[in-house]
Amino acid sequence: MSVSGAIAEIVAERWIERTLASYPAEAHALLCGETDPFRNPAGHAIKQSLTTLAHELLGEMEESAIATALDALVRLRAVQDFRPSDALRFIFDLRDVVVEVIGAPPQALEIRIDEMALMAFDQYMACRDQIAGLREKELRLRMQCAAK
Amino acid sequence: MNALYSLLAVLALVLAGFACGQGAPARMVLATFVPYAAFAALLIGFCWRVARWAFVPVPFHIPVTCGQQKSLVWIRFAKIDNPSTRWGVVSRMAAEILLFRSLFRNNRARLSGGRLILGESASLWLCSLAFHWTLLLIMLRHLRLFLEPVPAFVNALERLDGYFQIGVPPLYFSDVILVSAMTFLLFRRFRDPALRYLSLFSDYFALFLLLAIAVTGILMRYFTRVDILSVKQFALGLAAFRPGASQALSALFLCHLLLVCALAAYLPFSKLMHMSGVFLSPTRNLANNSRSQRHINPWNAPVKTHAYVEWEEEFRDKMQAAGIPLEIENETEDAGNARTN
Amino acid sequence: MPETLVQIELKPPHGDWRDSHVEFRKGSICYSAAPKNLTALGLPNPRAWQPLDKDWKLPPDWKRIILDGMKERLDKYRSFRLFMDICVRCGACADKCHFYLGSSDPKNMPVARAELMRSIYRRYFTLTGRIFGKLAGGRELTEDVIKEWFYYFYQCTECRRCSVFCPYGIDTAEITMMGRELLNLIGCNTNWVLEPAANCFRVGNHLGIQPHGFKDSLDFAADEAAEITGLDFHVPINRKGAEVLFVMPSADYFGTPHYYTLLGYLMLFREIGLDYTVSAYASEGGNFGLFSSHEMMKRLNAKIYEEAKRLGVKWILGGECGHMWRVLHQYMDTMNGPADFLGVPVSPLTGTVFENARSTKMVHICEFTADLIHHGKLKLDPRRNDRWIATYHDSCNPARAMGLLEEPRSILRAVCRNFHEMPENTIREQTFCCGSGAGLGTDENLEMRLRGGFPRANAVKYVKQKHGVNLLTCICAIDKATLPTLLEYWVPGVEVAGVHELVGNALVMTGEKERVADLRGEPFPAEAYAATTANEAGHA
Ligand code: HEM
Ligand code: SF4
Ligand code: SF4
């Protein structure tokens, strides 16, 4: 797919806006405005991940870059107060954004978005499993201690 | 909603001020009775509030430390941010009150492409500081109305304030800075959704009220050119407990006066009391010396503890079996002898 | 700014914080305290209930109890009354809380958390609030408010980061403590706080390990230290007439990786020949009373001085722990002092008089060790820690309630060669909490902990990527218990260790056998152990 970097940039920007809209309005000024990654870790993670994803989806489609960026974001949203559907909704928002910016998405892009969505499902489940596993591990350690 | 209500409340005060300017009896009341009532409320309310705080004990020594403690002699410690002596505390409080030290910490000054960038948070610090200092300056300048002869420092402040001699009468910088800083603070509350979420009626009310006072004052000085002589006469009269409402006092002045009285009466019941509260804040005004000097809690009440003897009684057998020394070695022995401690 | 962004920013807030209804979600709340624990501590309203229940079975006059309790505390704590009064809602603290940064829940802004309490204060205790009610920022005390308090006051780790930035030093942790005290009055408490407290009260430590079990654990550690070094170890318990009473958080002898820190202490004490004892009665330095009420704190803390007096020691040394040191540094002397039966602490090796502990008579082990190292009393080989690239996490309480910042760093610089700081605004007094302190470190609450720990993990991730950091050192038992989980989720590949674990690794003991592995049993880097047997390996 040949989309110029500038367009990918615009797509990323709009995509970020939409995703941030899933957070309470009170937090927007911080999430959007603060540029220091340590004062605004969540906003930073969202921006970074989505920018990478937009560029990859509209460009090279490098598997490992996508996996890393997606993981960082899904990992965050998996522990925030979202239902699973809301946690992953941001992926499907990309379709609307692309329509807004470049018109109807080409077939290839549709496929890529679907691919990414499936990947995100896996990652989300992996995160939730990991959380369950970590819980169990802590509980087990505690039981062991108590038994000692 | 809160913002609207407080704006309406301030506008009502302004209208009341103008209305008072129209009728003679109302003028009389406003010029003679209201100022005394308001300042009595201020004085009594202020003392009452401060006393309320001051008479509540500080049971524990809970400074928030913002730097290295004083421990080993070869480690440099933060004398101001983590004071260990009274003088350290004085400097910490001075930095807090004169420079808003903690608010400054909030700033993110960054060099980006050779340019110093101050974020939005820095403007909070800057505008707050500008607002408070100019407010102080303006209040001091007002002394010239109440004192005869005018003290030299007041004259000096005035000259400094109008240093550039722009316009007639000379423009005071404090006025410009005060109004712009306050406008920023207000704007900030409207703009940032988080602050809008938090702001209460009283937050807007304080800002609107101060802004209204400033605006009426500025109108008087630069636009309607109030008769300063009769104002001074009136102020001196008030100060000497011989109040009188001369006909020369304009409606605008009476409006300004009413607003100031409202502020004075409102102040003790509001968050504006932070000005005295900040001095009493136990996380800032205590030295971090709780391990070298014992802090006394006046109500240190006794509590139910689990004493050693009871504890040993419960675990005696297990301790004996494990070979842990016991206080009372053997039940059959004379316990009184063993209990030497 | 793009147009849509402007729109987002101008979208009105979705609600009013005075609306008190909260939806409790699994993973974000702690379970209620078991009735037996309340009974053991003599606390009111023991009953079976859970936060997810509709009916919390509050006592019939709960409202009066809360209001009376508030009044009592307003008259006893200047901090409480003042902090209720003087906040100007400037918002400087708003984005300083790790829970807010991780969750974006506006009620997690410290000022909003405090307003939950302030609104009640205004309604029932101020003139304007009684007259104008809602307009003056007041609201009615309802059961929903109680639930909301429970939710948000157990979503604050009392870390005091917000206070650092507040122009008046308003400490939301103080308000949280009051909130929890009030909730205690009507029996709304969490098991993760009260069970350790009950165990500590009756048996002596959080897990309720009885004296013989305590001895077993320490003997086991002594054996292990002996095996590692080839020297003989013995840990004296309840020994009268020792010079020093050593108190550590109980996690040090039952938790991992705390355990390696314990080995580190034992080796250090053995090497310098410290005349010390530990106590089975005061076998807990940690104090979960801090997380429930001032009274409970005092009840649990009383054991330390009582035991020091009984054993006739000269002074007390305290191990690596965060909230334990908050209590020891800021509360112990006031609550249970004066300790006039003890002497001013003096290091037996260097002769350093710990003037800063002149009254409390209790010294932090990092102060003690840093002094030893500074005077060259320890033979250290930092190469033995070469497998680690370390960073240091300031634990909230030593950082913001003591200012213990340089001591651990000076130790670390002496015992390991690869050390990198995290970014400036995430360490020292601005350090980010682990998100699990103040009695929140339980598994049912893990999602919330992961959210709260995200800002800290984010900084760790940064140094991992930049410098290859693979070890997070800290001096807090709660950190050591909870950060491994947190980092496994956010930054896999970074482990957690106490500072004295690294001391134990680097310490070259007189007469030790050739050591080939560190305290975790991992082999030393080759060049390190080749050199250590030779005597020239001293500290640079
Ligand atoms: C010892 C004296 C004082 C100190 C140290 C002090 C300090 C502060 C600080 C640090 C702030 C927070 C920053 C901000 O929001 O602007 C503040 C806010 C404020 N102060 Fe003061 N202040 C003092 C006296 C006064 C006085 C005498 C008044 C007016 C009667 C006043 C009116 C205000 C107002 C209205 C705000 C809120 C501004 C806003 O809403 O954004 N202060 N003060
Ligand atoms: S920083 Fe202090 S005064 Fe400002 S909102 Fe927070 S608690 Fe209130
Ligand atoms: S004390 Fe810590 S956890 Fe509590 S509100 Fe303040 S920053 Fe948040």
Side-chain angles (χ1 to χ4, degrees), chain C residues 87-93 111 118 165-168 170:
Chain C
C87 171
V88 297
R89 284 163 295 280
C90 67
C93 59
V111 38
R118 249 183 229 124
F165 296 89
C166 173
Y168 320 116
I170 293 176

Side-chain angles (χ1 to χ4, degrees), chain C residues 119-240:
Chain C
S119 53
I120 302 300
Y121 167 75
R122 282 191 290 256
R123 165 66 185 77
Y124 293 93
F125 297 95
T126 67
L127 189 63
T128 44
R130 269 186 295 226
I131 299 172
F132 296 107
K134 206 176 157 194
L135 197 61
R139 60 176 181 166
E140 293 296 320
L141 181 58
T142 62
E143 248 186 89
D144 270 345
V145 170
I146 295 296
K147 293 184 179 177
E148 188 188 34
W149 280 8
F150 183 84
Y151 192 62
Y152 287 102
F153 290 144
Y154 283 94
Q155 213 164 128
C156 165
T157 45
E158 303 179 359
C159 76
R160 312 181 104 197
R161 188 168 195 263
C162 45
S163 176
V164 168
F165 296 89
C166 173
Y168 320 116
I170 293 176
D171 184 4
T172 307
E174 194 73 6
I175 295 167
T176 295
M177 284 159 80
M178 294 302 160
R180 291 188 183 186
E181 276 197 17
L182 293 173
L183 289 171
N184 264 325
L185 297 179
I186 53 172
C188 299
N189 4 44
T190 69
N191 206 46
W192 188 248
V193 172
L194 281 201
E195 181 145 323
N199 283 336
C200 186
F201 186 69
R202 187 176 79 89
V203 184
N205 53 60
H206 290 162
L207 269 193
I209 297 175
Q210 302 195 351
H212 57 291
F214 174 69
K215 183 164 188 302
D216 282 351
S217 311
L218 290 178
D219 287 349
F220 189 79
D223 289 347
E224 187 147 346
E227 203 169 297
I228 293 171
T229 58
L231 302 167
D232 60 318
F233 277 81
H234 170 68
V235 186
I237 298 177
N238 289 17
R239 179 166 70 89
K240 285 200 177 183

Side-chain angles (χ1 to χ4, degrees), chain C residues 70-130:
Chain C
M70 261 181 101
K71 169 139 187 30
E72 185 193 337
R73 282 159 187 79
L74 286 165
D75 291 336
K76 275 163 87 175
Y77 296 87
R78 185 184 296 168
S79 52
F80 189 33
R81 186 176 279 278
L82 198 73
F83 295 165
M84 286 292 106
D85 279 329
I86 61 172
C87 171
V88 297
R89 284 163 295 280
C90 67
C93 59
D95 54 353
K96 302 304 181 290
C97 177
H98 49 283
F99 281 118
Y100 178 58
L101 294 181
S103 70
S104 296
D105 178 350
K107 282 187 189 168
N108 268 328
M109 294 189 275
V111 38
R113 199 186 310 284
E115 287 289 312
L116 301 180
M117 173 76 79
R118 249 183 229 124
S119 53
I120 302 300
Y121 167 75
R122 282 191 290 256
R123 165 66 185 77
Y124 293 93
F125 297 95
T126 67
L127 189 63
T128 44
R130 269 186 295 226

Side-chain angles (χ1 to χ4, degrees), chain B residues 62 68-69 71 106 188 203 281 283-284 288 290-291 294 300-301 304 306 311 314 318 327 341, chain C residues 89-90 96 160 163 168-169 201-203 210 281 298-299 310 329 333 367 399 402-403 406-407:
Chain B
I62 52 166
Q68 171 61 36
Q69 67 170 352
S71 59
N106 195 31
R188 197 175 151 263
D203 299 319
S281 179
T283 55
R284 291 287 186 269
N288 178 29
S290 43
R291 266 193 296 157
R294 180 158 187 254
N300 197 4
K304 187 178 172 309
H306 193 184
W311 177 84
E314 185 174 348
K318 288 165 177 161
E327 182 72 25
N341 260 355
Chain C
R89 284 163 295 280
C90 67
K96 302 304 181 290
R160 312 181 104 197
S163 176
Y168 320 116
F201 186 69
R202 187 176 79 89
V203 184
Q210 302 195 351
Y281 169 62
K298 184 174 174 185
R299 288 168 73 180
R310 185 184 75 87
H329 185 76
D333 204 3
E367 295 166 347
M402 280 178 94
E406 281 310 320
E407 292 86 346

Side-chain angles (χ1 to χ4, degrees), chain C residues 301-406:
Chain C
N301 175 257
K303 289 184 180 178
I304 296 181
Y305 276 154
E306 187 179 340
E307 187 67 344
K309 189 169 185 175
R310 185 184 75 87
L311 294 174
V313 299
K314 292 212 183 70
W315 54 279
I316 314 172
L317 184 63
E320 293 183 4
C321 187
H323 76 281
M324 154 177 162
W325 271 98
R326 170 103 207 259
V327 177
L328 299 177
H329 185 76
Q330 298 200 320
Y331 294 98
M332 175 160 81
D333 204 3
T334 303
M335 286 180 160
N336 291 310
D340 41 17
F341 46 88
L342 297 172
V344 176
V346 179
S347 170
L349 266 87
T350 64
T352 300
V353 181
F354 291 96
E355 288 291 346
N356 64 326
R358 160 167 293 280
S359 173
T360 306
K361 322 284 198 310
M362 186 144 183
V363 174
H364 193 291
I365 185 134
C366 284
E367 295 166 347
F368 183 71
T369 307
D371 174 64
L372 290 173
I373 294 175
H374 180 74
H375 286 91
K377 298 291 180 191
L378 302 181
K379 196 188 274 183
L380 298 166
D381 183 357
R383 283 170 301 182
R384 291 174 171 186
N385 281 317
D386 273 357
R387 99 172 153 106
W388 299 122
I389 302 171
T391 188
Y392 178 69
H393 161 68
D394 286 278
S395 312
C396 310
N397 287 300
R400 285 186 281 260
M402 280 178 94
L404 188 92
L405 307 173
E406 281 310 320

